[in-house]
Protein backbone atom coordinates (compact mmCIF):
# COMPACT_ATOMS: atom_id res chain seq x y z
CA UNK A 1 0.00 0.00 0.00
CA UNK A 2 2.74 2.37 0.99
CA UNK A 3 4.44 1.94 -2.31
CA UNK A 4 1.29 2.66 -4.25
CA UNK A 5 0.83 5.85 -2.26
CA UNK A 6 4.39 7.00 -2.89
CA UNK A 7 4.06 6.25 -6.55
CA UNK A 8 0.96 8.37 -6.72
CA UNK A 9 2.44 11.36 -4.94
CA UNK A 10 5.40 11.27 -7.32
CA UNK A 11 2.96 11.44 -10.17
CA UNK A 12 1.14 14.35 -8.60
CA UNK A 13 4.36 16.34 -8.58
CA UNK A 14 5.05 15.53 -12.19
CA UNK A 15 1.53 16.66 -13.02
CA UNK A 16 2.12 19.98 -11.26
CA UNK A 17 5.39 20.55 -13.05
CA UNK A 18 3.79 19.58 -16.30
CA UNK A 19 1.07 22.18 -15.92
CA UNK A 20 3.63 24.87 -15.06
CA UNK A 21 5.42 24.39 -18.32
CA UNK A 22 2.08 24.73 -20.06
CA UNK A 23 1.58 28.25 -18.62
CA UNK A 24 0.08 30.67 -21.07
CA UNK A 25 -1.42 27.86 -23.07
CA UNK A 26 -5.11 28.61 -23.61
CA UNK A 27 -5.95 24.99 -24.28
CA UNK A 28 -5.41 24.03 -20.65
CA UNK A 29 -7.91 21.22 -21.00
CA UNK A 30 -5.75 19.49 -23.56
CA UNK A 31 -2.99 17.82 -21.52
CA UNK A 32 -4.80 15.45 -19.06
CA UNK A 33 -5.37 12.38 -21.29
CA UNK A 34 -1.67 11.71 -22.03
CA UNK A 35 -0.81 11.97 -18.31
CA UNK A 36 -3.45 9.45 -17.47
CA UNK A 37 -1.94 7.13 -20.01
CA UNK A 38 1.39 7.46 -18.30
CA UNK A 39 -0.08 6.80 -14.85
CA UNK A 40 -2.07 3.76 -15.87
CA UNK A 41 0.76 1.31 -16.71
CA UNK A 42 2.51 1.84 -13.36
CA UNK A 43 2.82 -1.73 -12.06
CA UNK A 44 2.15 -2.70 -8.45
CA UNK A 45 5.24 -3.61 -6.41
CA UNK A 46 5.68 -7.17 -5.19
CA UNK A 47 8.02 -8.76 -2.65
CA UNK A 48 8.89 -12.21 -4.01
CA UNK A 49 11.57 -12.92 -1.39
CA UNK A 50 13.30 -11.12 1.50
CA UNK A 51 15.05 -7.88 0.48
CA UNK A 52 13.59 -8.12 -3.04
CA UNK A 53 10.93 -5.69 -4.22
CA UNK A 54 10.03 -5.44 -7.89
CA UNK A 55 7.29 -3.90 -10.00
CA UNK A 56 5.09 -6.56 -11.57
CA UNK A 57 6.58 -6.09 -15.05
CA UNK A 58 10.12 -6.93 -13.86
CA UNK A 59 9.33 -10.16 -12.06
CA UNK A 60 11.05 -13.34 -13.20
CA UNK A 61 8.88 -16.20 -14.39
CA UNK A 62 9.35 -18.11 -11.12
CA UNK A 63 8.44 -15.04 -9.11
CA UNK A 64 5.31 -14.49 -11.20
CA UNK A 65 4.23 -18.06 -10.50
CA UNK A 66 4.93 -17.67 -6.79
CA UNK A 67 2.95 -14.43 -6.60
CA UNK A 68 0.06 -15.73 -8.67
CA UNK A 69 -0.20 -18.74 -6.36
CA UNK A 70 -0.06 -16.48 -3.31
CA UNK A 71 -2.80 -14.20 -4.64
CA UNK A 72 -4.89 -17.26 -5.38
CA UNK A 73 -4.50 -18.61 -1.84
CA UNK A 74 -5.27 -15.27 -0.19
CA UNK A 75 -8.53 -15.03 -2.13
CA UNK A 76 -9.61 -18.33 -0.58
CA UNK A 77 -9.13 -17.13 3.01
CA UNK A 78 -12.48 -16.30 4.58
CA UNK A 79 -13.31 -12.67 5.15
CA UNK A 80 -16.19 -10.78 6.62
CA UNK A 81 -17.33 -7.57 8.20
CA UNK A 82 -16.91 -6.67 11.87
CA UNK A 83 -20.34 -6.87 13.46
CA UNK A 84 -19.35 -5.66 16.92
CA UNK A 85 -20.06 -8.96 18.66
CA UNK A 86 -17.27 -11.05 17.21
CA UNK A 87 -15.57 -13.12 19.87
CA UNK A 88 -12.42 -13.47 17.78
CA UNK A 89 -10.62 -10.49 19.25
CA UNK A 90 -11.40 -6.80 19.03
CA UNK A 91 -8.07 -5.43 17.88
CA UNK A 92 -5.95 -5.84 14.76
CA UNK A 93 -2.50 -6.91 15.96
CA UNK A 94 -0.85 -5.29 12.93
CA UNK A 95 -2.10 -1.69 13.20
CA UNK A 96 -3.03 -2.07 16.90
CA UNK A 97 -6.35 -0.37 16.23
CA UNK A 98 -9.69 -1.63 17.53
CA UNK A 99 -12.04 -3.07 14.94
CA UNK A 100 -14.82 -0.67 14.03
CA UNK A 101 -18.30 -1.78 12.99
CA UNK A 102 -18.46 -2.39 9.28
CA UNK A 103 -14.70 -2.80 8.70
CA UNK A 104 -13.57 -5.67 6.45
CA UNK A 105 -11.81 -8.45 8.33
CA UNK A 106 -9.83 -11.49 7.23
CA UNK A 107 -9.92 -14.74 9.22
CA UNK A 108 -6.83 -16.96 9.07
CA UNK A 109 -7.08 -20.74 9.46
CA UNK A 110 -5.34 -20.45 12.86
CA UNK A 111 -8.37 -18.40 14.00
CA UNK A 112 -6.51 -15.08 14.21
CA UNK A 113 -8.38 -12.09 12.78
CA UNK A 114 -6.99 -8.92 11.22
CA UNK A 115 -8.14 -5.99 9.12
CA UNK A 116 -8.34 -7.30 5.56
CA UNK A 117 -6.08 -4.53 4.21
CA UNK A 118 -3.49 -4.98 6.98
CA UNK A 119 -3.14 -8.76 6.65
CA UNK A 120 -3.39 -8.92 2.85
CA UNK A 121 -0.41 -6.56 2.50
CA UNK A 122 1.51 -8.68 4.99
CA UNK A 123 0.61 -12.04 3.40
CA UNK A 124 2.05 -10.86 0.08
CA UNK A 125 5.40 -10.50 1.87
CA UNK A 126 5.25 -13.51 4.16
CA UNK A 127 2.64 -16.24 4.28
CA UNK A 128 2.81 -16.50 8.07
CA UNK A 129 0.34 -15.52 10.76
CA UNK A 130 1.93 -12.57 12.61
CA UNK A 131 0.46 -13.64 15.94
CA UNK A 132 1.21 -17.38 16.11
CA UNK A 133 3.82 -17.65 13.32
CA UNK A 134 1.81 -20.54 11.85
CA UNK A 135 2.59 -20.83 8.12
CA UNK A 136 -0.74 -20.03 6.49
CA UNK A 137 -0.40 -22.35 3.50
CA UNK A 138 0.25 -25.45 5.61
CA UNK A 139 -2.76 -24.65 7.76
CA UNK A 140 -4.83 -23.93 4.66
CA UNK A 141 -3.96 -27.28 3.11
CA UNK A 142 -4.81 -29.25 6.24
CA UNK A 143 -8.11 -27.42 6.64
CA UNK A 144 -8.96 -28.32 3.04
CA UNK A 145 -8.11 -31.95 3.70
CA UNK A 146 -10.29 -32.21 6.78
CA UNK A 147 -13.26 -30.46 5.24
CA UNK B 1 -2.56 5.21 4.13
CA UNK B 2 0.55 3.22 5.02
CA UNK B 3 2.57 6.29 5.93
CA UNK B 4 -0.15 7.49 8.24
CA UNK B 5 -0.48 4.01 9.74
CA UNK B 6 3.23 3.71 10.58
CA UNK B 7 3.26 7.20 12.08
CA UNK B 8 0.25 6.52 14.29
CA UNK B 9 1.56 3.14 15.35
CA UNK B 10 4.92 4.59 16.43
CA UNK B 11 3.21 7.51 18.17
CA UNK B 12 1.04 5.09 20.09
CA UNK B 13 4.08 3.09 21.20
CA UNK B 14 5.93 6.21 22.31
CA UNK B 15 2.99 7.35 24.42
CA UNK B 16 2.65 3.88 25.92
CA UNK B 17 6.37 3.65 26.77
CA UNK B 18 6.29 7.12 28.36
CA UNK B 19 3.30 6.13 30.46
CA UNK B 20 4.48 2.64 31.38
CA UNK B 21 8.28 2.44 31.10
CA UNK B 22 9.68 -1.07 30.66
CA UNK B 23 12.49 -2.39 32.82
CA UNK B 24 15.87 -2.71 31.13
CA UNK B 25 15.75 0.23 28.72
CA UNK B 26 14.44 3.72 28.12
CA UNK B 27 13.28 4.99 24.74
CA UNK B 28 12.50 8.29 23.08
CA UNK B 29 12.75 10.11 19.77
CA UNK B 30 16.13 11.15 18.44
CA UNK B 31 14.54 14.30 17.08
CA UNK B 32 11.08 15.40 18.27
CA UNK B 33 10.13 16.21 14.68
CA UNK B 34 10.84 12.73 13.34
CA UNK B 35 8.71 9.83 14.54
CA UNK B 36 10.81 7.36 12.52
CA UNK B 37 14.12 7.82 14.38
CA UNK B 38 14.31 6.60 17.95
CA UNK B 39 17.08 6.66 20.50
CA UNK B 40 17.14 3.97 23.16
CA UNK B 41 19.35 3.41 26.17
CA UNK B 42 19.83 -0.21 27.16
CA UNK B 43 20.99 -1.06 30.65
CA UNK B 44 23.40 -4.00 30.61
CA UNK B 45 21.26 -6.89 31.87
CA UNK B 46 22.00 -8.08 35.43
CA UNK B 47 23.97 -11.31 35.86
CA UNK B 48 25.57 -10.98 32.43
CA UNK B 49 28.98 -9.70 31.34
CA UNK B 50 27.26 -6.49 30.23
CA UNK B 51 25.86 -5.68 33.69
CA UNK B 52 26.37 -2.07 34.70
CA UNK B 53 26.85 -0.78 31.15
CA UNK B 54 24.77 1.92 29.44
CA UNK B 55 24.42 1.24 25.74
CA UNK B 56 22.91 3.83 23.46
CA UNK B 57 21.36 2.70 20.17
CA UNK B 58 19.28 4.14 17.34
CA UNK B 59 16.23 2.50 15.81
CA UNK B 60 15.47 3.66 12.27
CA UNK B 61 11.99 2.74 11.07
CA UNK B 62 11.03 2.52 7.39
CA UNK B 63 7.85 4.20 6.18
CA UNK B 64 6.51 0.67 5.51
CA UNK B 65 6.67 -0.23 9.21
CA UNK B 66 5.14 -2.53 10.51
CA UNK B 67 5.37 -4.51 7.27
CA UNK B 68 9.14 -3.98 7.24
CA UNK B 69 11.52 -4.07 10.23
CA UNK B 70 13.53 -1.13 11.58
CA UNK B 71 17.32 -1.08 11.60
CA UNK B 72 19.02 -0.99 14.97
CA UNK B 73 22.49 0.49 15.36
CA UNK B 74 24.40 0.75 18.62
CA UNK B 75 26.05 4.12 19.10
CA UNK B 76 28.03 2.98 22.11
CA UNK B 77 30.93 0.67 21.32
CA UNK B 78 29.88 -2.87 22.20
CA UNK B 79 31.74 -6.17 21.77
CA UNK B 80 29.28 -8.91 20.89
CA UNK B 81 29.11 -11.70 18.26
CA UNK B 82 25.75 -10.48 16.90
CA UNK B 83 26.59 -6.78 16.71
CA UNK B 84 28.73 -5.65 13.77
CA UNK B 85 31.70 -3.37 14.37
CA UNK B 86 29.68 -0.43 13.03
CA UNK B 87 27.04 -1.13 15.69
CA UNK B 88 24.36 -2.76 13.48
CA UNK B 89 22.40 -5.43 15.26
CA UNK B 90 22.06 -8.72 13.39
CA UNK B 91 19.25 -10.82 14.78
CA UNK B 92 16.75 -12.84 12.80
CA UNK B 93 13.67 -10.96 14.00
CA UNK B 94 15.05 -7.80 12.34
CA UNK B 95 15.55 -9.56 9.00
CA UNK B 96 13.16 -8.75 6.17
CA UNK B 97 10.10 -11.00 6.09
CA UNK B 98 9.37 -13.86 3.76
CA UNK B 99 10.79 -17.22 2.71
CA UNK B 100 14.09 -17.17 0.92
CA UNK B 101 14.86 -20.02 -1.43
CA UNK B 102 18.06 -20.95 0.40
CA UNK B 103 16.10 -21.74 3.55
CA UNK B 104 18.56 -19.68 5.57
CA UNK B 105 15.87 -18.69 8.04
CA UNK B 106 12.26 -19.74 8.35
CA UNK B 107 9.64 -17.05 7.78
CA UNK B 108 8.51 -17.50 11.38
CA UNK B 109 11.98 -16.56 12.67
CA UNK B 110 12.10 -13.36 10.68
CA UNK B 111 10.37 -10.00 11.13
CA UNK B 112 6.68 -10.04 12.02
CA UNK B 113 4.43 -6.96 11.95
CA UNK B 114 3.40 -7.50 15.57
CA UNK B 115 6.87 -6.54 16.80
CA UNK B 116 7.11 -3.25 18.68
CA UNK B 117 9.97 -1.22 20.13
CA UNK B 118 9.39 -3.14 23.34
CA UNK B 119 9.49 -6.65 21.84
CA UNK B 120 12.55 -5.76 19.74
CA UNK B 121 14.44 -4.50 22.78
CA UNK B 122 13.43 -7.50 24.85
CA UNK B 123 14.96 -9.70 22.12
CA UNK B 124 18.11 -7.57 21.91
CA UNK B 125 18.54 -7.65 25.70
CA UNK B 126 18.20 -11.43 25.70
CA UNK B 127 20.70 -11.58 22.83
CA UNK B 128 23.22 -9.67 24.99
CA UNK B 129 22.90 -12.35 27.64
CA UNK B 130 22.91 -15.20 25.18
CA UNK B 131 24.92 -14.67 21.96
CA UNK B 132 24.16 -16.78 18.90
CA UNK B 133 27.39 -17.73 17.14
CA UNK B 134 25.75 -19.49 14.18
CA UNK B 135 25.62 -16.35 12.07
CA UNK B 136 27.93 -13.83 13.69
CA UNK B 137 28.02 -10.19 12.60
CA UNK B 138 31.35 -9.68 14.35
CA UNK B 139 33.45 -12.73 13.49
CA UNK B 140 36.30 -11.76 15.85
CA UNK B 141 33.92 -11.43 18.77
CA UNK B 142 32.32 -14.79 17.92
CA UNK B 143 35.71 -16.51 17.71
CA UNK B 144 36.92 -15.04 21.00
CA UNK B 145 33.59 -15.83 22.68
CA UNK B 146 33.90 -19.46 21.59
CA UNK B 147 37.59 -20.06 22.07
CA UNK B 148 38.75 -17.73 24.80
CA UNK B 149 36.03 -16.86 27.33
CA UNK B 150 38.47 -15.01 29.61
CA UNK B 151 39.58 -12.70 26.82
CA UNK B 152 35.90 -12.17 25.83
CA UNK B 153 35.10 -11.20 29.41
CA UNK B 154 37.97 -8.68 29.38
CA UNK B 155 36.90 -7.13 26.08
CA UNK B 156 33.28 -6.76 27.26
CA UNK B 157 34.37 -5.33 30.62
CA UNK B 158 36.33 -2.69 28.72
CA UNK B 159 33.18 -1.70 26.76
CA UNK B 160 31.14 -1.58 29.95
CA UNK B 161 33.69 0.73 31.63
CA UNK B 162 33.85 2.97 28.56
CA UNK B 163 30.04 3.15 28.41
CA UNK B 164 29.93 4.20 32.08
CA UNK B 165 32.54 6.92 31.52
CA UNK B 166 30.34 8.41 28.80
CA UNK B 167 27.56 8.94 31.33
CA UNK B 168 29.58 10.53 34.10
Amino acid sequence: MGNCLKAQSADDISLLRGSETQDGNDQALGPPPPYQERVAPRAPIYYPSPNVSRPANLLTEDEQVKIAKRLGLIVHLPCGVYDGCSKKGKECAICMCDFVMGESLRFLPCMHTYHKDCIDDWLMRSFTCPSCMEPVDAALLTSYETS
Amino acid sequence: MAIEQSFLLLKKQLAELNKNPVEGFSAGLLDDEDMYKWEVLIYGPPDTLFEGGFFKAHLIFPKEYPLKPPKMIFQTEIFHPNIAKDGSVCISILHEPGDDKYGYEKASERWLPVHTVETILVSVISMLADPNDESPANVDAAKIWRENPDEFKKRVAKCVRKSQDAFE
Side-chain angles (χ1 to χ4, degrees):
Chain A
M1 265 266 181
N3 288 296
C4 303
L5 191 73
K6 259 189 264 167
Q8 258 166 10
S9 64
D11 283 331
D12 289 341
I13 290 163
S14 70
L15 272 169
L16 277 172
R17 286 203 193 111
S19 63
E20 271 162 22
T21 59
Q22 300 278 333
D23 268 355
N25 189 343
D26 288 338
Q27 292 172 319
L29 288 173
Y35 289 121
Q36 277 179 343
E37 264 177 18
R38 236 183 289 163
V39 174
R42 189 173 286 273
I45 310 261
Y46 291 110
Y47 307 88
S49 45
N51 297 307
V52 179
S53 59
R54 263 195 259 282
N57 55 330
L58 295 180
L59 292 169
T60 67
E61 219 164 290
D62 285 351
E63 288 167 350
Q64 285 178 32
V65 170
K66 187 177 171 184
I67 282 160
K69 275 188 191 162
R70 182 73 55 93
L71 286 165
L73 285 171
I74 293 175
V75 169
H76 283 290
L77 294 168
C79 51
V81 167
Y82 187 59
D83 54 10
C85 64
S86 171
K87 287 174 190 158
K88 293 164 186 168
K90 290 187 181 118
E91 191 196 74
C92 172
I94 296 178
C95 66
M96 291 184 175
C97 291
D98 287 342
F99 296 136
V100 175
M101 291 276 267
E103 276 180 333
S104 298
L105 306 182
R106 177 80 81 188
F107 307 101
L108 298 192
C110 53
M111 306 304 279
H112 287 107
T113 308
Y114 304 90
H115 284 126
K116 189 169 171 288
D117 288 347
C118 293
I119 193 68
D120 286 7
D121 270 0
W122 169 255
L123 292 176
M124 286 310 294
R125 293 165 189 255
S126 179
F127 215 39
T128 309
C129 172
S131 297
C132 64
M133 296 176 266
E134 184 83 22
V136 177
D137 42 2
L140 201 60
L141 288 173
T142 50
S143 68
Y144 274 145
E145 275 164 13
T146 52
S147 60
Chain B
M1 189 198 96
I3 288 175
E4 204 176 290
Q5 187 194 49
S6 56
F7 182 88
L8 293 176
L9 193 49
L10 289 168
K11 200 173 145 191
K12 203 170 184 173
Q13 291 182 38
L14 185 65
E16 180 60 31
L17 284 169
N18 282 335
K19 210 169 79 184
N20 301 313
V22 177
E23 208 177 319
F25 70 89
S26 60
L29 294 185
L30 189 56
D31 166 1
D32 283 342
E33 303 289 301
D34 189 349
M35 192 56 78
Y36 295 88
K37 294 197 176 102
W38 288 51
E39 182 163 79
V40 296
L41 187 64
I42 295 179
Y43 312 118
D47 303 321
T48 69
L49 298 179
F50 296 90
E51 182 170 6
F54 300 103
F55 302 98
K56 200 194 279 180
H58 291 168
L59 277 167
I60 311 298
F61 289 88
K63 296 281 188 275
E64 293 99 323
Y65 176 80
L67 297 179
K68 275 176 76 169
K71 288 189 170 46
M72 182 166 175
I73 306 128
F74 273 91
Q75 305 297 307
T76 309
E77 190 187 319
I78 183 163
F79 191 70
H80 189 284
N82 306 110
I83 302 170
K85 284 176 182 159
D86 70 355
S88 328
V89 176
C90 181
I91 50 173
S92 58
I93 65 152
L94 292 183
H95 289 166
E96 290 233 356
D99 268 315
D100 62 295
K101 53 184 167 209
Y102 310 109
Y104 168 61
E105 272 162 354
K106 279 188 238 154
S108 60
E109 292 166 350
R110 290 171 171 269
W111 173 255
L112 295 168
V114 293
H115 281 304
T116 59
V117 171
E118 182 180 340
T119 64
I120 293 166
L121 288 176
V122 166
S123 293
V124 168
I125 290 168
S126 98
M127 170 203 81
L128 289 182
D130 195 9
N132 168 9
D133 70 340
E134 275 171 34
S135 56
N138 181 338
V139 180
D140 293 340
K143 195 161 181 269
I144 293 173
W145 179 69
R146 230 181 359 236
E147 294 170 2
N148 194 345
D150 286 337
E151 172 66 13
F152 186 75
K153 219 184 241 179
K154 254 188 241 165
R155 298 284 287 267
V156 172
K158 206 173 129 195
C159 289
V160 170
R161 264 199 315 278
K162 257 177 124 173
S163 80
Q164 290 164 339
D165 290 347
F167 281 86
E168 267 171 12

